[in-house]
Structure formats: structure tokens, C-alpha cells
Amino acid sequence: MVQFEVKKVKVLGVDLGGTNIKIGVLDELQPGNIERVYLYPTQEPIYECLEKAIDEVMSLHPDIKAIGIGTPGFVDRKKGSVKFASENLPGWSGTEVKQKLESRFHISVIVENDANVAALAEVIFGAAKGYNNALMLTLGTGVGGGVIIDGKILYGPNGAVGEFGHMTLYPEGHSCKCGRKGCQEQYVSGHSLARRIREANMDMTPEELMQSKEHNDTAAAIVNEFTYDLALSITSLQAAFDMEILVIGGGVSHSANYWFEDLNKNLKNLLFHPLRVEVAKLKNDAGIIGAAQLIFMEG
Ligand SMILES: [Zn+2]
């Protein structure tokens, strides 16, 4: 009797966050297309929580051939370990993620920084599709990003390329959690918008601020200051990377329709040469799609 072996053609794309672990199932014949998503609350100890979640999904999908993981923090790409993660993920720093998961599940595992993973997804399937040299700037509670050169993620020896939030914008400016002063994160993050609102003695959310700028001069001034600082940040990045396109993602980008015109006005006076700037397209799926893409590209 001839026995046919089931060909393993599926991969898992894992988006590990401080609140949730999202696990997507993707088919290698349809990269960029998530078939199913499973959501688990992130609990301590984090590695055990991740392993249990993957185990559950793998028991439902026996045809998984590899796992791609995007995680916050500095990642040692070769070892697939987390060199450093913030206090949002207690105990996660130093975890040998690749080695532990591979010995548990006996399939290939790739681990990468989550902002790099999102940048990769946007370049291949999202707002920067068709471009080989792109930069993603993620404006969330903090500020991060990723750099894609010749279609590939740019790495540094410390896994820390794209820590744009800690480039200095105002040397004597607001204190940053990194211990220095005036970092970009203190001026263009969601957190910084909330601070600007507080300092103006206003009582509203950043979203409400954006919506009220047409009929509120104080709100309009804050939005202008914010987009000016963002434009300054972008010109420094252009000077360093000369990218073809910049994609803005993260929570702050969700209100971009209110402030994009202001940003373009400020950019016009500051850029060395014209730059295409777009808002991220893949939103919450970028982490899963990019993590799976690591496997399709290198697995
Ligand atoms: Zn800093």
C-alpha cells in the first residue's frame, strides 16, 4: 500500500504584545493572507504562556512547518533570543525563545523585533508595496520603527536599528525614560500628545484634540507643534537613510486624516528633497503577516 505523507505548507505568525499574544495561521501559497487568528491574553511567566498558546494552535493545525515571532525588545537574530525587553514583559529579557520552542515543537522558529516585522509586512503587502527602500516610523505610546534596505530588514549588532524614539530632538528638552533629555519619543508619541494637552490645561483625548482643531485655536497650535516636531524627526531620518518612502504606523497614525495635511505643510519647508509619506495599511495584522513572512523569505 502506498502511503502519502501530508505536506506541511502552513506557518504560524506570532505577534507577541504586552496585552495579547496573537497567533495567525498562513498558507505558504498565499503569503500575506491570514487564514485564522487565535488570541491569548499575555500572562506571566511569559515564555510558558507563549508555549502553551502555540501548543494549542498546533494541535488544531498539524500541518504547521515553521513559526515566525515578532516581539518587543532587542532581539539577537542569530540566537533567536531576547537581549532586552522593557518592564511591560516581566522576565522576558534573556529568554532563548528560538532554542526553547524548537526543542519543544521540532520545527524551525525565527524571532525578530516587532517593529521590524511590521515594517517588512508594510513593504511587501501594505503601504510601501513595490518599494525596496522604506522606513517605518511607529508612533504608539512610545516611538519605534524599522528600516528595509533592498527589501530586507536592516540589522545592527545589538538588534537595535530603528530605535528612532531615542534620537535627540531637543537637547535640553523633556526627560526621557532612557535617562536622557529631549528624545523624539517625548514629542511625537501618543504619550507626548497627552502631555501637550495637559500642559495647555485642556481636558480631552488626543483624538478629540485632532477633531477640534478646526474650531479651537489652542488645539490647532498643538497639532501644528506636534506635526512640526514630527516633520523635524522625519528630515533627520531622511538625512540618515535616504529612503524612497516613509510609512507612519502605530496608534497615533489612526487619526492621521486629521493631521496629515499639517504634517505635509511642515515637511515642505524642511525636507531635503520630496519624500513619499504614507499611513500604514495593515494596522493590527502587520505583526502576524510580517512574522510569517520571515519564514517565507528565509525559512
Ligand atoms: Zn530616550
XYZ file of all heavy atoms in Angstrom, residues 11-45:
268
model
N 2.277 28.044 8.090
C 3.183 28.586 9.101
C 2.373 29.383 10.122
O 1.248 29.809 9.835
C 4.285 29.495 8.507
C 4.998 28.825 7.357
C 3.727 30.842 8.085
N 2.970 29.584 11.287
C 2.349 30.449 12.286
C 3.088 31.787 12.318
O 4.320 31.819 12.342
C 2.425 29.817 13.686
C 1.692 28.505 13.905
C 1.803 28.084 15.382
C 0.221 28.613 13.510
N 2.325 32.871 12.298
C 2.887 34.208 12.508
C 2.417 34.673 13.878
O 1.221 34.759 14.130
N 3.381 34.909 14.779
C 3.020 35.237 16.164
C 3.353 36.701 16.466
O 4.473 37.151 16.228
C 3.765 34.323 17.168
C 3.371 34.663 18.604
C 3.477 32.861 16.862
N 2.372 37.430 16.961
C 2.550 38.827 17.356
C 2.435 38.882 18.881
O 1.340 38.835 19.438
C 1.452 39.669 16.685
C 1.566 41.143 17.018
O 2.493 41.522 17.760
O 0.708 41.913 16.537
N 3.606 38.923 19.532
C 3.622 38.912 20.999
C 3.583 40.341 21.523
O 4.456 41.150 21.195
C 4.906 38.217 21.480
C 5.110 38.195 22.990
C 4.288 37.102 23.626
C 6.569 37.999 23.329
N 2.595 40.659 22.326
C 2.493 42.002 22.895
C 2.324 41.934 24.402
O 2.152 40.851 24.973
N 2.363 43.085 25.046
C 2.222 43.126 26.490
C 0.832 42.734 26.958
O 0.646 42.260 28.091
N -0.176 42.888 26.097
C -1.554 42.568 26.469
C -1.998 41.225 25.913
O -2.611 40.427 26.613
C -2.512 43.668 25.938
O -1.952 44.941 26.262
C -3.890 43.541 26.540
N -1.709 41.002 24.610
C -2.169 39.775 23.957
C -1.058 39.082 23.186
O -0.115 39.720 22.736
C -3.272 40.089 22.933
C -4.563 40.502 23.596
O -5.066 39.823 24.491
N -5.090 41.636 23.185
N -1.236 37.782 23.035
C -0.427 37.027 22.073
C -1.384 36.663 20.940
O -2.381 35.981 21.157
C 0.142 35.736 22.700
C 1.087 36.075 23.851
C 0.861 34.903 21.642
C 1.557 34.868 24.652
N -1.079 37.178 19.730
C -1.925 36.866 18.573
C -1.190 35.870 17.692
O -0.038 36.096 17.326
C -2.222 38.137 17.776
C -3.199 39.060 18.490
C -3.613 40.210 17.605
C -2.543 41.271 17.591
N -2.916 42.474 16.830
N -1.857 34.777 17.384
C -1.232 33.745 16.547
C -2.066 33.570 15.280
O -3.255 33.241 15.349
C -1.133 32.400 17.297
C -0.356 32.605 18.609
C -0.483 31.344 16.425
C -0.180 31.339 19.428
N -1.437 33.815 14.134
C -2.126 33.675 12.859
C -1.642 32.441 12.124
O -0.473 32.067 12.226
N -2.555 31.807 11.386
C -2.202 30.670 10.544
C -2.198 31.152 9.102
O -3.178 31.752 8.647
C -3.219 29.517 10.700
C -2.833 28.331 9.813
C -3.318 29.086 12.162
N -1.075 30.930 8.387
C -0.972 31.360 6.996
C -0.489 30.209 6.126
O 0.270 29.348 6.584
C 0.016 32.535 6.848
C -0.433 33.868 7.446
C -0.011 33.974 8.896
C 0.136 35.027 6.651
N -0.923 30.214 4.884
C -0.538 29.193 3.912
C 0.600 29.749 3.066
O 0.551 30.897 2.642
C -1.751 28.903 3.018
C -1.549 27.680 2.153
O -0.484 27.605 1.505
O -2.437 26.809 2.141
N 1.631 28.921 2.831
C 2.774 29.443 2.072
C 2.408 29.780 0.625
O 3.119 30.515 -0.043
C 3.966 28.489 2.123
C 3.777 27.184 1.400
C 5.035 26.321 1.481
O 6.077 26.818 1.926
O 4.953 25.145 1.107
N 1.305 29.255 0.143
C 0.884 29.593 -1.218
C 0.163 30.944 -1.269
O -0.030 31.512 -2.331
C -0.042 28.496 -1.781
C 0.614 27.134 -1.960
C -0.416 26.105 -2.403
C 1.767 27.216 -2.959
N -0.250 31.445 -0.098
C -0.923 32.738 -0.049
C -0.319 33.625 1.042
O -0.999 33.964 2.018
C -2.411 32.544 0.232
C -3.161 31.876 -0.892
C -4.589 31.634 -0.479
O -4.865 30.900 0.471
N -5.499 32.273 -1.180
N 0.953 33.985 0.904
C 1.569 34.821 1.930
C 0.837 36.162 2.029
O 0.339 36.680 1.026
C 3.004 35.009 1.422
C 2.978 34.681 -0.018
C 1.871 33.706 -0.217
N 0.738 36.701 3.208
C 0.028 37.970 3.388
C -1.436 37.782 3.671
O -2.149 38.729 3.998
N -1.910 36.544 3.543
C -3.333 36.268 3.742
C -3.513 35.403 4.999
O -3.145 34.233 5.013
C -3.856 35.551 2.489
C -5.340 35.319 2.567
O -6.042 36.055 3.256
N -5.817 34.302 1.879
N -4.058 36.000 6.058
C -4.214 35.258 7.316
C -5.477 34.397 7.251
O -6.556 34.906 6.994
C -4.326 36.222 8.518
C -3.119 37.165 8.563
C -4.445 35.454 9.827
C -3.242 38.274 9.593
N -5.315 33.088 7.492
C -6.485 32.186 7.448
C -7.292 32.235 8.736
O -8.516 32.276 8.723
C -6.021 30.744 7.224
C -5.652 30.478 5.789
C -5.254 29.026 5.590
O -5.435 28.211 6.516
O -4.739 28.731 4.499
N -6.583 32.170 9.848
C -7.240 32.172 11.165
C -6.373 32.915 12.156
O -5.161 32.904 12.044
C -7.397 30.724 11.689
C -8.503 29.896 11.075
C -9.891 30.345 11.491
N -10.151 30.295 12.927
C -10.658 29.242 13.563
N -10.929 28.143 12.890
N -10.886 29.292 14.858
N -7.012 33.573 13.121
C -6.242 34.222 14.194
C -6.732 33.695 15.537
O -7.946 33.561 15.757
C -6.408 35.761 14.171
C -5.657 36.388 15.346
C -5.899 36.351 12.867
N -5.797 33.361 16.410
C -6.116 32.933 17.777
C -5.525 33.951 18.741
O -4.373 34.362 18.568
C -5.538 31.543 18.053
C -6.081 30.491 17.115
C -5.471 30.258 15.877
C -7.215 29.756 17.434
C -5.972 29.309 14.999
C -7.726 28.799 16.568
C -7.099 28.580 15.352
O -7.597 27.647 14.489
N -6.325 34.354 19.713
C -5.917 35.410 20.639
C -5.823 34.868 22.067
O -6.755 34.223 22.551
C -6.981 36.514 20.563
C -6.626 37.877 21.123
C -5.551 38.537 20.271
C -7.875 38.762 21.158
N -4.694 35.131 22.701
C -4.495 34.695 24.097
C -4.037 35.893 24.925
O -3.165 36.646 24.473
C -3.421 33.606 24.177
C -3.790 32.353 23.422
C -3.470 32.222 22.072
C -4.459 31.316 24.054
C -3.818 31.080 21.370
C -4.799 30.168 23.362
C -4.482 30.057 22.018
O -4.822 28.930 21.326
N -4.567 36.073 26.134
C -4.048 37.143 26.988
C -2.621 36.818 27.426
O -2.324 35.670 27.742
C -5.010 37.162 28.189
C -5.722 35.859 28.158
C -5.675 35.326 26.762
N -1.741 37.825 27.401
C -0.351 37.620 27.830
C -0.305 37.507 29.348
O -0.786 38.386 30.052
C 0.530 38.806 27.380
O 0.313 39.025 25.991
C 2.002 38.533 27.646
N 0.237 36.388 29.807
C 0.326 36.166 31.261
C 1.727 35.722 31.650
O 2.451 35.168 30.832
C -0.678 35.082 31.680
C -2.109 35.585 31.638
C -3.139 34.464 31.759
O -2.814 33.288 31.620
N -4.381 34.841 32.012
N 2.078 35.996 32.886
C 3.377 35.544 33.386
C 3.262 34.123 33.926
O 2.213 33.779 34.460
C 3.849 36.463 34.507
C 4.149 37.870 34.037
C 4.520 38.759 35.205
O 5.413 38.383 35.986
O 3.894 39.823 35.345
N 4.307 33.319 33.806
C 5.535 33.605 33.085
C 5.299 33.597 31.573
O 4.588 32.712 31.057
C 6.473 32.473 33.524
C 5.588 31.381 34.031
C 4.302 31.992 34.457
